[in-house]
Amino acid sequence: MFLGRLEEMAGRPFQDIAASAPLDWTDVIGWLGDCCSTALLDAVRGEKVRVAINGALVADKEGLILSDGDELAFLPPVSGG
Amino acid sequence: MFLGRLEEMAGRPFQDIAASAPLDWTDVIGWLGDCCSTALLDAVRGEKVRVAINGALVADKEGLILSDGDELAFLPPVSGG
Amino acid sequence: MSDVRLLTAPFDPAAELSAFTAAHPQAGGIVSFLGQVREGGGCEALELRHYEPLTLPAMRDLAARVRDRWTLGGLLVIHRSGVMLPAEPIVLVAAAARHRRDAFAAADFAMDHLKSESWFWKREKQGGEWRWIEPREQDFEDIARWA
Amino acid sequence: MSDVRLLTAPFDPAAELSAFTAAHPQAGGIVSFLGQVREGGGCEALELRHYEPLTLPAMRDLAARVRDRWTLGGLLVIHRSGVMLPAEPIVLVAAAARHRRDAFAAADFAMDHLKSESWFWKREKQGGEWRWIEPREQDFEDIARWA
């Protein structure tokens, strides 16, 4: 799932990761590098973008491990206002 | 005019002062002493009761001067809440 | 412009707030306070009395002070006088502003000052007996917050 | 009990507030905040997007924190998601309490935290072009008031 402006950058709200679990952060970044723009990749790596797995926020995104069927969401900062 | 609990103490919301103007504070107190209860008189003299003439608050009630047709109001503290 | 009213008959706060909101589409936020006679607690009726030459002018004066202090698109102040039953509205204050913070502060300030300084005398019916309500210390503390 | 809703279609704030008030006759005071899309200022439409598994649970969590912090009779939190036009309601928060001060503080706190911490992403249409809205410094300051 790509939320907020990341959806525009990805050109789609969500995308299946066609790779065999388990996947770690390096696998995810590698997959993003193949599928999407460098701008998206930079944004996702940035410290302001948080990550949730199946709706639960991940404290340390670089330490994540994805299992089969997990929903990974990239969350840019909320807009406030 | 007797406002708030003073109305109960006076037994009426208002009362004509049948005396010839000008009247000062001593005249008013004298008239109240004749017409009404001592409790009312004590309350009106107390520092918590304010006085208005024709809807305008009087800063120093003991210095007031009433003309013919003036409306004198005795105002106990407001209830708040 | 402020809308300040002293009413001697019941009013519908939802309809008033709805009309106020519709009149201020350029305001990003509207804060309202509705005070009503509490149900339960033994109060059978509440009576507010006012003194015509003082009460409404003082409410208008308060509204002007609120408008001077905060940047508002609109201000609504409606206060009942007379006898009210439990769950009946007593007072409605609403502030419309571009900025949320202004609307909150204006409504809060208006309520603190309406409650403690307005020319209303209140009595409450409990167990069939009316008794006058005296000023409370809390009201002076509420006002001191704004000094 | 708190009533917390995330809606994807327009709602009627007056009707909601009226129902909330009727449900809390024992509350002496009800404070509400209504946020709406500003008319004028060039905004043609506002879009809020949410993430189902996070947004509503976080709103419920905020409501629980508010209930823990203040003594309330009831709390209502309604937030829109989706595309809204000028003058359409975005958010309604209402707090019913025995004491006025609790109701004001609870609604104010809820709004500061809803605005700055909720999982909503916003974009605005101006001159036919959509642009994303970035976080504002003011939001962090608003929240710091409650520390």
Side-chain angles (χ1 to χ4, degrees), chain D residues 58-74:
Chain D
M59 286 168 62
R60 290 207 176 105
D61 190 59
L62 171 60
R65 279 157 62 205
V66 171
R67 298 298 294 255
D68 280 349
R69 191 154 169 169
W70 289 281
T71 305
L72 302 181

Side-chain angles (χ1 to χ4, degrees), chain A residues 37-71:
Chain A
S37 69
T38 317
L40 179 68
L41 193 62
D42 287 346
V44 162
R45 278 168 158 166
E47 62 174 19
K48 285 187 178 166
V49 169
R50 300 196 63 185
V51 157
I53 299 175
N54 302 323
L57 286 170
V58 170
D60 168 26
K61 65 187 174 191
E62 294 177 13
L64 67 78
I65 302 291
L66 288 181
S67 307
D68 244 0
D70 277 353
E71 180 173 291

Side-chain angles (χ1 to χ4, degrees), chain B residues 21-25 27-28 53-54 58 60-68 70 72:
Chain B
L23 298 176
D24 64 12
W25 182 246
D27 297 327
V28 170
I53 299 176
N54 301 324
V58 170
D60 168 26
K61 66 187 174 191
E62 296 177 11
L64 67 77
I65 302 292
L66 288 182
S67 307
D68 244 2
D70 277 354
L72 176 66

Side-chain angles (χ1 to χ4, degrees), chain B residues 78, chain C residues 2-8 11 48-67 75-81 90-93 106 109-111 113-121:
Chain B
V78 297
Chain C
S2 302
D3 180 357
V4 181
R5 281 176 271 160
L6 174 58
L7 303 180
T8 53
F11 68 100
L48 264 69
R49 296 196 193 163
H50 68 281
Y51 179 47
E52 200 69 45
L54 276 182
T55 312
L56 185 58
M59 287 168 61
R60 290 209 174 105
D61 190 60
L62 171 59
R65 279 156 63 206
V66 171
R67 298 297 294 256
L75 179 65
L76 174 69
V77 177
I78 299 178
H79 211 298
R80 268 297 307 276
S81 187
I90 306 167
V91 57
L92 175 67
V93 163
F109 177 97
M111 278 310 307
H113 288 75
L114 259 183
K115 284 279 186 174
S116 56
E117 295 179 350
S118 285
W119 294 101
F120 289 105
W121 295 274

Side-chain angles (χ1 to χ4, degrees), chain C residues 23-72:
Chain C
H24 297 96
Q26 77 293 356
I30 292 168
V31 170
S32 75
F33 176 84
L34 170 66
Q36 57 187 4
V37 183
R38 262 186 219 118
E39 211 163 72
C43 172
E44 289 148 26
L46 183 73
E47 182 182 6
L48 264 69
R49 296 196 193 163
H50 68 281
Y51 179 47
E52 200 69 45
L54 276 182
T55 312
L56 185 58
M59 287 168 61
R60 290 209 174 105
D61 190 60
L62 171 59
R65 279 156 63 206
V66 171
R67 298 297 294 256
D68 279 348
R69 191 155 169 168
W70 289 281
T71 305
L72 301 180

Side-chain angles (χ1 to χ4, degrees), chain A residues 5 7 71 76 79-81, chain D residues 49 51 115 121-122 133-134:
Chain A
R5 63 161 69 247
E7 175 178 338
E71 180 173 291
S79 305
Chain D
R49 296 197 194 163
Y51 179 49
K115 284 280 185 172
W121 295 273
K122 244 194 252 188
I133 299 173
E134 300 297 325

Side-chain angles (χ1 to χ4, degrees), chain D:
Chain D
M1 266 296 295
S2 302
D3 180 357
V4 181
R5 283 177 268 160
L6 175 58
L7 303 180
T8 52
F11 67 100
D12 176 352
E16 295 291 350
L17 195 54
S18 190
F20 180 74
T21 302
H24 296 97
Q26 77 292 355
I30 291 169
V31 171
S32 75
F33 176 85
L34 170 66
Q36 57 188 2
V37 183
R38 262 187 221 118
E39 211 163 71
C43 172
E44 289 148 26
L46 183 72
E47 182 182 6
L48 265 68
R49 296 197 194 163
H50 68 281
Y51 179 49
E52 200 71 44
L54 275 182
T55 312
L56 186 57
M59 286 168 62
R60 290 207 176 105
D61 190 59
L62 171 60
R65 279 157 62 205
V66 171
R67 298 298 294 255
D68 280 349
R69 191 154 169 169
W70 289 281
T71 305
L72 302 181
L75 180 65
L76 173 69
V77 178
I78 299 178
H79 211 298
R80 269 295 310 275
S81 187
V83 176
M84 286 156 272
L85 299 176
E88 262 189 67
I90 306 167
V91 56
L92 176 67
V93 164
R98 198 174 155 75
H99 301 290
R100 190 168 78 245
R101 181 90 16 257
D102 287 336
F104 267 107
D108 197 3
F109 178 97
M111 278 311 307
D112 276 355
H113 288 76
L114 260 181
K115 284 280 185 172
S116 55
E117 294 178 352
S118 286
W119 294 101
F120 289 105
W121 295 273
K122 244 194 252 188
R123 51 178 207 159
E124 204 178 46
K125 196 176 179 180
Q126 292 227 20
E129 304 248 325
W130 285 102
R131 90 190 156 75
W132 289 97
I133 299 173
E134 300 297 325
R136 302 178 318 148
E137 200 50 47
Q138 178 67 38
D139 296 319
F140 299 109
E141 289 167 21
D142 285 346
I143 279 210
R145 297 193 308 137
W146 303 99

